[in-house]
Structure formats: C-alpha cells, structure tokens
C-alpha cells in the first residue's frame, strides 16, 4: 500500500530573535524564527533534508525526485536535477519541480503517492523547501521562516499509509510574488483570512472528512498550514479541533516556511504519533489540499536522523538584525556580486560529480582514496583505474585550519580547513562552528551549501560542519 | 654528489644587475619599469650596445597577458630569442635558471634575465578572489600559507609573537634599502593592533604587493673577468615542483615540501653541507611571516622546531649570524611576483660585491648568498646560490 517509508527535515540552526525586528533587547527563550544563512537557499536546505531522510539507506532505490518550492534561483533550469546530482542518485532518476503555489509541497507528495500506486516507480523522494523573502520592516517579516522537509514515498514497509486526499481550487490574489520581485506581498490581512484561508481550509477539511466518513476527533494529529498564529487558532476554533490533537505550528520557533510548512507539520506529526494513529494534514494556496494518513510503524532503517525535533534543538542566535540583513543580501553593497561572468558552465559541467556530489575516487591498484578525481594516482601513479566514491555521507577530521577575514562573509571569519576523509585531503570551509570550537582533529560531517555567486547564478559546493555528537535524535 | 648535480656550478657569472624602485608605480607602465631595470643592469655589466651584445632574453611575469613581446618591445630586442617563464612566485628564479642553463649549455655568451609584474593596474589591493572553480574558495594566498600555523604552533609552541619579530626585522631592513616600497619601522604594538587578514596573519604578516622589475646580465664564467674584477658566480640554481599541499595525503603542515626539495638540489650543486656556516646572507620568500619562519628550517639554517629560539637570539637580523632579507624582503621592499626572484639576486650580488650600503653584511664576500622563492598553494620553489670566485 502506498505510503511514506521515511522522512527527514532541515531547519537552519540560525535563529533570528523576533526582538531584533522590534529593536527590543533579546530575552533567552523568547520568540524567534529560523533563517537560512547567506550560503543557504531552498536547494541547499532540500539536499540536507533529503540526506536526513535517506540516512542509512541505499540511495539506488530512489526512482524519482519531486522538488516543491516557490524559491529557486532559476526561472528556467530545474532544481530537482541539481538535487539528484548532489545526492548522487541514479542517472535514470525521474525529476520534476513543483512550484507556483504554497500548497505545492502537499501537491508533490500527492503526485508521488499516485506514481508509486501506479507501480511504475517503487520509491520517490519528495522534498519541500522554501526560503521566502519578506521586505525588511514588513508585516510578513516576523512570520516567515525557512525550512525543508523530505519524504520517501513507496509501497513496501511504509511508516504511514495514505488513506485519502481531497483538494479544492480557488482564484484569489491574496499572497503573491511576481517575476523579478524579491519580496512576497499580501493583500489586507482580514480579506486574506476571511475570504481565502478560512473558507478554503474549512472546505478541504470538510470534504476530506466526508470522503473518509470520519470526524475530526478520529485524528490523533491535525496538522494545519496557517499564514500566522492567529489564523491558525481561528481555523482550529471554526473546525472544532481539540487543542491536544492540533500539531504545534511552530510559530515563534521556525515561522511560516511556505511550501515546506504543511509538510513539516506532517513530519512533526509522524514523529509524535503512535502506531495506528490517524493524521490529517492540510495545506493552503490558490485553494487547499488535504491528506489523511495512518501511522503503521516507526522508521526501521538504521542511520542517524535528526528530523524536526532534532533540528529544533540545533540552534545558534543571530547577534543583530544588521547581520541578518547582510546574510540575506538586503543591504546595499559597494560591489554588485552578480556583475562578473561567473563560473564557466563547461567547468561546472565537467566537475559536477566532484563539486555537487562530493565524489572522489579509490585507486584500484593501491586502494587509496583521493579527491578530486584525477587521471594519475597521486600515491602509486596508476593511470585511469579508479572507482568513483561518494564522500558526502562520510565523516572527516580537521587536519589544519585558518580563519579568513578577507573573503566576503556577513559573519566573518570564514573558517577554512584541510579535512581528511579516510585518507583523502579536501580543502573545505567549516560552518556552524565558532573559531573557539575549531581544533585539529575535530570530527566533521558534510553539508551542501552555496559557495559563491557569479553571473547571476549561485555556485554550490560542500562544506564541513562539526559532526553531531549524539548520532541520532 | 654526482657530476650531474654539480654540473651547473661555476659555469655562469652574473656581471650586471638592475632593479627599478618597487612600489605603487601609478605613473609607470610595465615597459617603463623593464627599461629602468634592464638599463641599470646594462650599465653595471658595461654593456653599451645591448642590441648587439644581448643574444637572448629570458623574462618572467605572472600577471601579464602580453607574453615575452612586452619585454622585447620595451627593450627593442628583436631578431633574437625572447622567452617568457611563468612559475607562480618562483617565476623570477625560474627565468634566471633558464638563462643560466642556456649559457652553461654553450648556446649564448651573454643573456638578459628580466622579471617584472604590474599588479597595481588590476584595481584591487591584494589578489582578487579567482573564480575558475568552486573547490578552493576562498582562494587567497594568505589562506593558503596560513594552513601551517595551527599545526606548527601546536607542535612547537611558537605563536604570533615570534611572527611579529620577523615583520619588525623586515620593516627595519626596508628602511635601509633605497629602492624599497615601505620605509617605516613598526613596533610590536603596531603589529598587534593591525587587523587580521587570515589567522594568524595580520596586516604586518603579509607582504606588500607592488609593481616592479629587476634584471640581471649573465655570461660564461670564463668571459666574466673581461668585464669586471668582481664577478659573481652561479653556484647553484634549482626548481622543484610539489603536490598541492591541500590535497597531499599525509602532509604534516609543519613545512613546505618544495623548499626542502629545492634546497637539497641546490646544496648538492653548490657543495653545501652546512648551510648555517657556508651561507653568509639569504633572501628568503617572506610572502607571509610564517613562510619565512618555516624556510629557516626547511633551508637547513636551523633545526626543525628551533626557529623561535633563533628569532629570539637575532640570528637572522642584520648583524646576526645569518642575516635574512637584508633589503626588507617581500614584506617591505615589495612583491611584484615575477620580479621578486630577480630582485633577490640583485640584492645578493650587491651584498657579495660589498655594494649594499647601510645594510651591507660584513665579511660576506667569502661566503655564499642564497635566494629563495616559493609560490602557488605553495607548489613550486626556486633557489639560487651565488658566490665570489
């Protein structure tokens, strides 16, 4: 039976205390939102969430990648193909982007469930990720947060099976972003809620309950998208949902993470639900979409998985609003970073395995692991006899480091290391770590990040971050 | 030592050297600087008709896009071989080596070597972030050369206070060299107050990138006495390439391999078995203070790990047992990449001939003078050893 066989999440560890927005002193434990830092975007968050989801699994099982987001650097050029390369998936994986609406995340999940039911794919990876920009000082700014969530959908050994789904469509100009505009806009709040959000969400939930001949009380977890905390309460009241079944919408912790929002709450619900619990998830945008699941088991595969809960506890606080603005490129710069011609497309193409997939090679003659891939072995001088080896899901160890104050960075210094990965030496930046905590021998894991922007195009590569000492959440 | 490795020793002489004033030469083109350096070297070598007497030119530059023609056009040296050499910061030494080999091989009697660069036309202070790939970002030389710091400091207990003494020494020596860029003493307090570029390097740990050109005229050793009474002989010239240390498995980040390898080759050529005793003066590549510190050890001037004691004792200061960077080095004389190796040869020739003025090392005539460049990640090293007959 089609269902969700694994899931993972990514919430950027960087949190902006909402007090910074109001110019008030920051209090420990006060409201905050998760923000993608300057080297993160919807694609990097998607890769990290998918890595969390696929932890401990053989990635060769993945037949398809559906990427849902309203924020991706290219109008024309697919993100799912880039993500598939970064994850080192099979060459014959089918890929598609879902975009345009805030409910694209649930739409992609529904599409994947349909595809595996149709039996021409056994496992499809669905990733919802968003990094929406609110204009500084706007009402939306405090509500928006950034996050990503990934589901592996398949027929065998699901942890939750799909029961039913329902969708409604509506034309309404309530929340939008047009071509070339970096910022999301919203019409007057009462109009958005009274004519858009509340009636559409009530309609889709009601329709789902009728289809499944169930009552809202039959669901142990009810995960509802909402533009903000007040609308969430208003919808819960209107539906008559009990407080204990309502999935915490994570306002004041993560924020409204757009396309990823309803899927993130679904992942949260899957973490918290017990076996046999039923879960209802509903998303909004140009209409609404709802799905109901029954949790049947816990994830059986080994491997460490942080999920939503684990990522919520990994956090660091932004020191000032100014730092946040710099990290989001919201302050004027003397030099336009996009003015240069950027990385050669042919270089990018030739080096996609190494740079996007962090793949090195193992010499078939002397067995030494090395990076990058090269024709002649640096150890035994064998020529052209290598296996390609993925390094991104291994652990490394810092050999040496420096703190670079010269390289553009909203939060200097840039920590630069030489990292040993099972004998291969790789020059890598280190993130999510302070200079004080940087030391020779520090174990690191690897995250996909932006490393540079040129010619209006982002360039991606891998960076190290301190390995999670706990191992699993 | 085999005859092969000794092959170059005493076959070629330097009979003239020249160097333009290094600095931010806003009003000088590369050609202007090349002419300053070459004509000073001509005069020093007694060459009155270079178009007749210079049979070949070896020139080196890292930043030019014009190839060897820039030099041949500046000097109007046509209808003869003019070759350009590029080898990161070892470019100048490598151009010199090519010239020396061509004379030693008997191809030419008199050859001109010119190293130069004009980085200040590029509109940035220090090298810009190069964008030919994502893998090595941030691609700053300070970041590359600082990678030995954490490891070396942890193992041998050295630190920024030791680096500071190198910067202070080179700032002092620069005040004594008429053609140096920076002529300003600095204090330990200045050093400590300066902003950090790439830890542990602050502003004063980093060489001054400048414009400049330097030149040398070389000839067969058996002809040199016809030109002057005090010719300087080439005792050794070596170039070694090494792996990129950032991806070199097993690299200990306590030394730079190419320096040790080039020293081994050069010492075999020159017959040096006790560098600290036989070498009387040295120009060492101080692109960053730590590069100079590591070179003391990698060149065999002192034991590995003992540099900080020698720094404290003043071994490498003017007046010390083995003065290093007598003209201020890259730090204050300036670092026009392609010129630097030839500028060091200029300084060593002046020292060996007793022409170095206030910075003259006494009693150096009977000893050897070493110059050393290391460049790239670093991945290339060049060493030249000169001496009197």
């Amino acid at each position: 039976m089609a269902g969700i066989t694994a899931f993972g999440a990514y919430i950027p560890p960087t949190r902006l205390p909402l007090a910074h927005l109001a110019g008030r002193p920051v209090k420990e434990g006060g409201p905050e939102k998760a923000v993608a830092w300057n080297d993160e975007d919807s694609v990097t968050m998607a890769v990290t969430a998918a890595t969390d989801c696929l932890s401990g699994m053989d990635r060769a099982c993945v037949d398809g990648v559906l990427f849902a987001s309203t924020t991706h650097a290219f109008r024309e050029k697919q993100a799912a193909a880039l993500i598939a390369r970064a994850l080192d998936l099979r060459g014959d994986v089918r890929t598609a982007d879902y975009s345009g609406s805030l409910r694209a995340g649930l739409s992609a999940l529904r599409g994947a469930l349909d595809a595996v039911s149709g039996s021409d794919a056994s496992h499809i990876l669905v990733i919802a990720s968003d990094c929406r920009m609110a204009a500084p000082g706007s009402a939306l700014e405090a509500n928006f947060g950034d996050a990503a969530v990934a589901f592996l959908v398949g027929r065998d050994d699901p942890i939750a099976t799909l029961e039913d789904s329902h969708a409604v469509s509506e034309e309404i100009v309530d929340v939008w972003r047009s071509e070339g505009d970096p910022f999301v806009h919203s019409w007057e709040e009462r109009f958005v809620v009274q004519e858009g959000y509340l009636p559409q969400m009530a309609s889709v939930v009601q329709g789902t309950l009728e289809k499944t001949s169930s009552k809202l009380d039959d669901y142990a977890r009810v995960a509802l998208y909402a533009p903000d905390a007040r609308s969430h309460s208003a919808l819960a009241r209107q539906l008559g949902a009990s407080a204990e079944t309502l999935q915490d919408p994570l306002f004041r912790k993560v924020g409204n993470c757009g396309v990823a929002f309803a899927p993130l709450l679904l992942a949260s619900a899957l973490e918290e639900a017990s076996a046999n619990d039923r879960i209802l998830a509903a998303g909004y945008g140009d209409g609404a979409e709802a799905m109901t699941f029954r949790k049947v088991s816990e994830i059986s595969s080994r491997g460490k998985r942080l999920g939503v809960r684990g990522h919520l506890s990994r956090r660091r606080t932004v020191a000032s609003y100014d730092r946040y603005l710099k990290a989001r490129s919201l302050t004027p710069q003397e030099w336009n970073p996009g003015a240069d011609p950027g990385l050669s497309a042919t270089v990018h193409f030739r080096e996609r395995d190494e740079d996007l997939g962090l793949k090195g090679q193992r010499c078939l003659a002397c067995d030494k692991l090395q990076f990058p891939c090269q024709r002649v072995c640096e150890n035994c001088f064998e020529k052209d006899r290598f296996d390609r080896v993925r390094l991104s899901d291994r652990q490394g160890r810092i050999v040496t480091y420096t703190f670079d104050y010269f390289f553009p960075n909203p939060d200097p210094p840039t920590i630069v290391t030489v990292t040993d990965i099972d004998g291969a030496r790789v020059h890598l930046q280190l993130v999510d770590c302070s200079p004080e905590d940087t030391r020779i021998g520090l174990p690191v894991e690897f995250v996909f990040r932006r490393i540079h922007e040129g010619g209006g195009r982002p360039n991606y590569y891998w960076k190290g971050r301190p390995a999670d000492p706990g191992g699993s959440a | 030592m085999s005859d092969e490795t000794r092959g170059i020793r005493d076959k070629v002489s330097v009979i003239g050297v020249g160097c333009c004033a290094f600095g931010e030469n806003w009003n000088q083109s590369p050609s202007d600087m090349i002419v300053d350096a070459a004509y000073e070297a001509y005069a020093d070598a007694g060459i009155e008709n270079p178009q007749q007497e210079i049979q070949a030119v070896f020139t080196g530059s890292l930043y030019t896009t014009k190839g060897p023609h820039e030099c041949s056009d500046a000097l109007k040296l046509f209808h003869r071989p003019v070759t350009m050499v590029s080898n990161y910061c070892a470019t100048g030494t490598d151009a010199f080596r090519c010239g020396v080999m061509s004379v030693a091989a008997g191809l030419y009697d008199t050859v001109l070597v010119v190293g130069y660069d004009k980085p200040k036309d590029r509109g940035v202070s220090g090298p810009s972030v190069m964008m030919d790939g994502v893998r090595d970002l941030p691609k700053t030389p300070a970041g590359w050369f600082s990678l030995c710091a954490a490891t070396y400091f942890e193992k041998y207990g050295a630190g920024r206070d030791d680096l500071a003494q190198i910067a202070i020494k080179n700032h002092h020596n620069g005040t004594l060299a008429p053609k140096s860029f920076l002529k300003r003493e600095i204090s330990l307090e200045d050093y400590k107050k300066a902003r950090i570029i790439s830890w542990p390097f602050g502003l004063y740990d980093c060489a001054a990138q400048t414009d400049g050109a330097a030149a040398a005229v070389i000839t067969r050793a058996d002809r040199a006495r016809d030109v002057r009474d005090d010719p300087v002989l080439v005792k050794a010239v070596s170039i070694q390439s090494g792996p990129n240390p950032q991806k070199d498995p097993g690299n200990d980040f306590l030394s730079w391999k190419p320096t040790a390898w080039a020293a081994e080759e050069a010492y075999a050529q020159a017959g040096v078995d006790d560098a600290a005793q036989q070498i009387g003066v040295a120009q060492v590549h101080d692109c960053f203070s730590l590069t100079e510190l590591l070179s003391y050890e990698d060149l065999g001037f002192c034991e590995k790990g003992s540099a900080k004691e020698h720094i404290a004792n003043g071994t490498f200061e003017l007046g010390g047992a083995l003065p290093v960077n007598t003209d201020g080095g890259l730090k204050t004389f300036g670092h026009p990449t392609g010129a630097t190796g030839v500028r060091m040869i200029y300084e060593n020739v002046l020292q060996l001939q007793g022409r170095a003025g206030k910075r003259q090392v006494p009693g150096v005539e009977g000893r050897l003078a070493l110059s050393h460049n290391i460049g790239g990640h670093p991945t290339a090293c060049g060493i030249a050893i000169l001496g009197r007959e």
Side-chain angles (χ1 to χ4, degrees):
Chain A
M1 196 182 230
I4 293 166
T5 63
F7 64 91
Y10 178 69
I11 299 165
T14 314
R15 308 295 157 76
L16 177 71
L18 299 186
H20 279 326
L21 302 180
R24 285 197 301 268
V26 174
K27 274 192 245 139
E28 186 61 34
E32 60 188 20
K33 64 177 200 163
V35 295
W37 207 233
N38 72 309
D39 61 350
E40 299 188 280
D41 63 15
S42 58
V43 166
T44 65
M45 294 195 298
V47 171
T48 312
T51 305
D52 195 43
C53 173
L54 296 173
S55 178
M57 292 183 181
D58 179 5
R59 297 183 186 183
C61 78
V62 178
D63 300 307
V65 179
L66 302 182
F67 173 70
S69 180
T70 62
T71 47
H72 165 44
F74 293 94
R75 291 295 296 167
E76 176 175 341
K77 216 190 100 51
Q78 196 185 59
L82 166 59
I83 292 164
R85 176 62 66 169
L87 292 171
D88 187 29
L89 300 181
R90 292 193 333 251
D92 63 344
V93 72
R94 63 163 88 167
T95 56
D97 287 357
Y98 277 60
S99 192
S101 170
L102 289 181
R103 68 182 155 104
L106 286 189
S107 304
L109 183 58
R110 178 65 225 230
L113 287 159
D114 286 348
V116 298
S117 302
S119 84
D120 54 348
S122 74
H123 288 93
I124 292 186
L125 182 64
V126 180
I127 315 166
S129 177
D130 237 347
C131 184
R132 295 154 83 213
M133 296 279 271
S138 70
L140 298 176
E141 190 180 31
N143 272 327
F144 281 12
D146 306 313
V149 58
F151 299 97
L152 190 63
V153 169
R155 284 187 303 276
D156 302 328
D157 300 325
I159 53 172
T161 52
L162 176 71
E163 291 189 318
D164 217 326
S165 69
H166 187 58
V168 294
S169 175
E170 177 65 292
E171 164 56 21
I172 179 169
V173 180
D174 56 350
V175 180
W176 73 96
R177 180 166 65 91
S178 19
E179 179 91 48
D181 191 337
F183 302 121
V184 176
H185 301 268
S186 176
W187 203 262
E188 192 175 347
E189 186 190 338
R190 285 191 309 284
F191 165 73
V192 172
V193 172
Q194 288 168 19
E195 298 303 320
Y197 174 69
L198 285 178
Q200 293 298 312
M201 288 291 273
S203 163
V204 84
V205 169
Q206 204 52 48
T208 307
L209 296 177
E210 281 167 21
K211 260 190 176 173
T212 51
S213 308
S214 59
K215 318 183 292 295
L216 203 58
D217 287 348
D218 297 337
Y219 295 89
R221 311 300 315 158
V222 177
L224 302 172
Y225 169 92
D228 53 64
R230 200 162 64 166
S231 311
H232 186 264
S233 306
L235 178 63
R237 257 197 320 277
Q238 185 172 329
L239 294 174
S242 66
E244 59 272 21
T245 66
L246 269 180
Q247 192 59 44
D248 177 359
L250 304 175
F251 286 110
R252 302 157 77 84
K253 294 190 186 97
V254 176
N256 175 352
C257 49
V259 161
F261 197 7
L264 188 76
L265 300 185
L266 171 59
S268 253
L270 287 168
E271 282 177 2
E272 292 171 17
S274 310
N276 246 350
D277 276 356
R278 295 171 81 184
I279 298 166
L280 185 146
Y284 174 75
D286 311 282
E289 191 145 347
M291 308 170 85
T292 64
F293 294 90
R294 183 180 292 275
K295 180 160 177 179
V296 291
S297 72
E298 301 294 335
I299 299 181
S300 59
S301 80
R302 284 192 299 271
K304 61 169 196 168
R305 189 172 275 102
L306 284 177
V308 181
R309 202 184 291 139
H311 277 102
L312 280 172
S313 64
R314 259 179 106 132
R315 49 187 292 284
R316 70 170 188 109
T317 304
V318 181
S320 70
Y321 184 53
D322 184 57
R323 289 264 174 90
Y324 160 77
L325 292 177
K326 281 205 177 86
R328 303 294 285 237
S329 302
L330 291 171
T331 48
Q333 301 292 314
E334 183 182 2
W335 304 104
N336 173 7
D340 64 277
L343 180 63
S344 161
T346 57
V347 171
H348 168 82
F349 179 71
R350 279 199 303 276
E351 299 185 343
R352 63 199 187 283
D353 248 7
E354 289 127 299
D355 296 349
L356 301 178
L358 198 64
K359 290 179 87 166
Q361 63 187 13
R362 180 182 296 288
C363 176
L364 294 176
C366 73
D367 208 39
K368 285 277 193 300
L369 199 61
Q370 39 211 289
F371 183 93
C373 298
Q374 46 212 315
R375 297 284 303 276
V376 178
C377 174
E378 62 195 2
N379 180 58
C380 74
F381 314 121
E382 183 78 2
K383 177 168 163 289
D384 292 332
R385 284 186 61 229
F386 301 98
D387 273 342
R388 294 225 159 176
V389 179
R390 182 171 70 229
L391 305 181
S392 65
D393 52 354
R394 293 177 180 234
Q395 270 204 3
R397 188 182 55 80
I398 291 181
V399 176
T400 187
Y401 59 84
T402 182
F403 308 127
D404 193 311
Y405 289 82
F406 200 74
F407 193 63
N409 185 334
D411 214 3
T414 300
I415 304 176
V416 183
T417 74
V418 171
T419 294
D420 186 291
I421 312 176
D422 298 328
R425 293 286 181 88
V426 191
H427 185 257
L428 286 175
Q429 294 179 22
L430 180 70
V431 295
D432 301 344
C433 190
S434 67
E436 295 73 40
D437 292 332
T438 305
R439 59 180 170 83
I440 294 167
L442 182 75
V444 293
E445 56 193 20
F446 306 105
V447 284
F448 190 67
R449 294 289 176 99
R450 280 186 178 214
I451 193 155
H452 180 265
E453 185 163 349
R457 305 185 302 275
N459 295 309
Y460 299 93
Y461 190 46
W462 292 79
K463 299 183 182 181
R465 74 171 174 196
D468 186 46
S472 78
Chain B
M1 184 176 60
S2 70
D3 288 343
E4 292 75 41
T5 51
R6 203 168 48 219
I8 205 76
R9 194 209 294 183
D10 292 340
K11 289 198 170 142
V12 180
S13 286
V14 183
I15 51 169
V17 288
C19 184
C20 80
F22 282 16
E24 292 168 331
N25 296 339
W26 313 121
N27 293 315
Q28 283 200 303
S29 68
S31 295
D32 295 332
M33 300 189 301
I34 290 167
V35 168
D36 279 355
Y39 276 75
E40 185 186 345
Y42 294 160
D44 193 33
I47 287 178
E48 290 172 357
N49 191 346
Q51 276 69 27
Q52 295 298 320
E53 296 173 62
I54 301 293
Q55 294 167 321
V57 181
F58 291 88
T59 180
S61 163
L62 193 61
Y63 298 119
T64 187
T65 54
K66 294 180 178 160
H69 176 73
E70 187 160 55
C71 184
S72 55
D73 189 45
L75 299 172
K76 299 297 178 276
L77 292 172
F78 304 122
H79 196 181
R80 76 204 70 206
V82 179
T83 298
M84 175 155 271
V85 175
S86 175
N87 200 345
Y88 295 106
C89 294
T91 295
T93 300
D94 210 353
F96 179 74
R97 170 175 162 269
C98 292
V100 167
M101 290 192 301
S102 74
V103 172
L107 289 174
Y108 315 111
D109 285 343
T110 306
V111 164
L112 176 69
V113 176
V114 177
Y116 70 97
D117 257 313
K118 190 80 179 86
K120 304 307 291 187
D121 276 2
R122 298 188 306 156
V124 289
S125 179
S128 61
V129 172
M130 289 168 273
M131 203 41 229
D132 52 345
V134 298
R135 220 173 277 151
D136 299 336
L137 285 171
K139 293 184 185 180
T140 60
W144 299 337
F145 281 89
S146 60
L147 287 174
C148 274
T151 36
Y152 186 93
F153 289 177
E154 185 168 297
K155 176 142 182 164
Y156 296 115
R160 292 197 75 221
D161 284 352
D162 303 300
L163 300 183
Q165 296 309 318
I166 294 174
I168 290 167
K169 165 181 76 74
N170 289 347
H171 267 270
H172 170 72
N173 293 356
T175 64
L176 307 176
K179 291 173 178 172
S180 72
F181 171 48
L182 298 173
K183 293 184 176 65
R184 187 164 74 81
E185 304 274 359
I186 61 159
S187 65
L188 185 59
E189 194 188 356
D190 294 331
Y191 176 89
K192 286 186 168 167
K193 277 196 323 206
R195 68 191 168 102
I196 296 290
I197 305 295
S198 196
W199 179 90
F201 300 155
L203 187 65
Y204 292 115
D205 292 290
C206 304
Q209 198 176 39
T210 63
D211 304 325
V217 178
I218 56 178
T219 191
R220 290 197 334 250
D222 59 5
R223 288 187 69 245
R225 284 269 172 198
D226 301 342
V227 178
R228 62 191 309 150
D229 297 334
D230 57 356
V232 165
L233 285 161
V234 177
K235 299 290 183 181
V237 59
S238 67
I239 286 283
Q240 289 282 326
S241 75
N244 179 343
Q246 295 164 14
K247 67 185 186 77
D248 179 18
N251 193 313
D252 60 9
F253 290 96
L254 299 172
S255 68
W256 298 122
K257 288 178 181 175
T259 294
W261 293 344
E264 185 184 13
E265 183 193 0
Y267 292 164
Q269 291 174 359
V272 170
D273 48 27
D274 185 349
Q277 288 306 312
Q278 291 170 265
I279 294 167
V281 65
Q283 315 305 326
V284 159
H285 201 81
D286 60 318
C287 52
F288 302 97
S289 52
L290 180 66
T291 319
E292 180 170 327
L293 183 151
L294 295 174
S295 299
Y296 297 154
E297 299 171 350
D298 297 343
L299 292 168
F301 296 174
C302 62
E303 292 291 310
K304 184 49 75 185
S306 72
K308 76 175 194 171
E309 280 86 47
H310 286 273
I311 291 168
N313 295 338
T315 302
F316 306 114
E317 293 172 17
L318 280 175
L322 173 39
V324 169
N325 291 333
T326 46
D327 61 2
L330 284 67
K331 176 73 205 79
T332 60
F333 200 97
H335 184 32
T337 314
T340 288
V342 186
R343 183 270 301 163
M344 291 175 163
I345 285 162
Y346 166 85
E347 173 68 6
N348 277 344
V349 167
L350 296 187
Q351 288 285 352
L352 288 169
Q353 294 173 334
R355 298 195 281 154
K358 289 182 188 164
R359 62 189 190 283
Q360 179 66 48
V361 177
V364 78
E365 293 85 353
R367 298 168 79 190
L368 299 172
L370 178 145
S371 57
H372 158 263
N373 295 143
I374 183 162
H377 285 83
T379 46
C381 178
I383 290 176
I385 300 177
L386 307 179
R388 294 286 293 277
E389 285 170 336

